[in-house]
Amino acid sequence: MNTILSAGGLNTYYGRSHILFDMGLEVRQGETVCLVGRNGAGKTTTFRSLMNLSPPKSGRVEFLGRNCSGLPPYRMARLGLGFVPEDRRILGPFTVRENLEMGVIAERKGRWNLKTVLECFPTLARMLERMGGSLSGGEQQMLTIGRALMGNPEVLILDEPTEGLSPVIVGELKELVLRLKREGTTILLSEQNIRFALAVSDRVAVMDKGRSVYTGTVEAFRSDEAVQSRYLAV
Ligand code: ATP
């Protein structure tokens, strides 16, 4: 499989605080990679660094075979990096339809449009004219994923998608991610919910204190109890 997204040597700071230390990762076409690690390990900062929302002081980001270091976030989005942030960023005073339409990126054509996204999210189809702010947490999560799909991303980045969701909704989200994966979508996500991570991913990357400390297949990670107990609260 070809590498579609890779990063290496990323050093990112918030003010004077050094957060990422030579962080790197690799995502291949069609696979699902999950970043795991304790709270504050640096998963969100890694995604923000890939998008250049938190510009790294050094390091490289390559996407679709080109050097993207330093490209502004809107250019990364236009190239096809679709980011679903942890805090969801639904626009409350806008309808579900408007929220979805905001995800359109004129330069990016593909199989996702309002019709195909609504086929994938029948719940959203029933509440198109409702205000985004009136949706439940689970509905908002589906809406932010739907909005990212509207931009026909080459890689979908989901930052802790299950956070704060009920077990039923987590189950629905799992089916959704597995479906996107079956259809060939390349996915990079972060998770605290290890069961969810292992159920949807092909490979796992573990972060600790701003560094990449382990990468392996889901099978290898599952059988490596030392890594699990050292870096995760399991
Ligand atoms: P979580 O699961 O809690 O989101 P994470 O692995 O995504 O954790 P980050 O959110 O990337 O971790 O945070 C990494 C470190 O950076 C933490 O120590 C956090 O306190 C710090 N940090 C995050 N955002 C800021 C900010 N805006 N200003 C200063 N420090 C920050």
Side-chain angles (χ1 to χ4, degrees):
M1 274 192 293
N2 295 332
T3 298
I4 185 166
L5 172 68
S6 72
L10 296 178
N11 285 280
T12 304
Y13 293 70
Y14 289 124
R16 285 197 192 159
S17 309
H18 194 170
I19 305 296
L20 295 189
F21 297 83
D22 291 326
M23 177 59 193
L25 57 75
E26 187 186 301
V27 182
R28 300 172 200 143
Q29 181 99 44
E31 74 173 346
T32 300
V33 176
C34 189
L35 263 189
V36 300
R38 294 195 183 94
N39 272 335
K43 305 179 291 296
T44 299
T45 308
T46 299
F47 294 159
R48 292 183 56 86
S49 300
L50 294 174
M51 286 299 290
N52 218 21
L53 286 162
S54 295
K57 269 206 178 141
S58 60
R60 55 165 185 86
V61 174
E62 279 165 31
F63 183 40
L64 298 167
R66 61 180 277 187
N67 175 6
C68 292
S69 307
L71 283 189
Y74 78 91
R75 294 276 308 276
M76 296 306 289
R78 266 191 210 165
L79 283 173
L81 208 52
F83 181 41
V84 178
E86 197 174 1
D87 54 10
R88 294 179 197 148
R89 306 273 170 101
I90 287 297
L91 297 174
F94 291 87
T95 64
V96 167
R97 181 198 296 276
E98 288 164 337
N99 269 279
L100 286 171
E101 283 168 350
M102 275 174 235
V104 172
I105 299 175
E107 292 82 357
R108 301 203 56 77
K109 305 278 182 253
R111 71 192 176 93
W112 295 109
N113 51 46
L114 192 60
K115 183 166 173 279
T116 53
V117 166
L118 292 176
E119 278 164 12
C120 192
F121 299 92
T123 323
L124 295 181
R126 289 192 292 274
M127 45 180 72
L128 266 186
E129 307 311 323
R130 270 185 51 190
M131 293 295 153
S134 73
L135 270 51
S136 70
E139 290 159 357
Q140 290 199 0
Q141 184 59 278
M142 299 299 175
L143 180 52
T144 39
I145 297 175
R147 186 173 61 190
L149 292 175
M150 291 286 284
N152 283 291
E154 299 286 343
V155 175
L156 184 63
I157 299 182
L158 305 173
D159 194 5
E160 292 203 27
T162 69
E163 200 195 12
L165 302 183
S166 71
V168 173
I169 306 292
V170 170
E172 284 178 22
L173 197 60
K174 181 173 124 188
E175 292 312 313
L176 172 71
V177 172
L178 290 174
R179 173 180 167 180
L180 293 174
K181 181 181 155 129
R182 270 196 310 275
E183 292 171 356
T185 313
T186 307
I187 301 171
L188 171 63
L189 75 161
S190 72
E191 259 309 327
Q192 296 278 349
N193 180 337
I194 296 298
R195 277 186 61 183
F196 181 91
L198 297 183
V200 300
S201 307
D202 301 305
R203 287 193 304 126
V204 176
V206 183
M207 284 193 79
D208 186 50
K209 301 190 182 91
R211 295 171 170 85
S212 171
V213 292
Y214 173 92
T215 336
T217 62
V218 162
E219 295 72 37
F221 177 80
R222 239 186 243 284
S223 56
D224 197 332
E225 284 173 19
V227 165
Q228 293 180 38
S229 62
R230 184 154 172 207
Y231 297 115
L232 308 171
V234 291

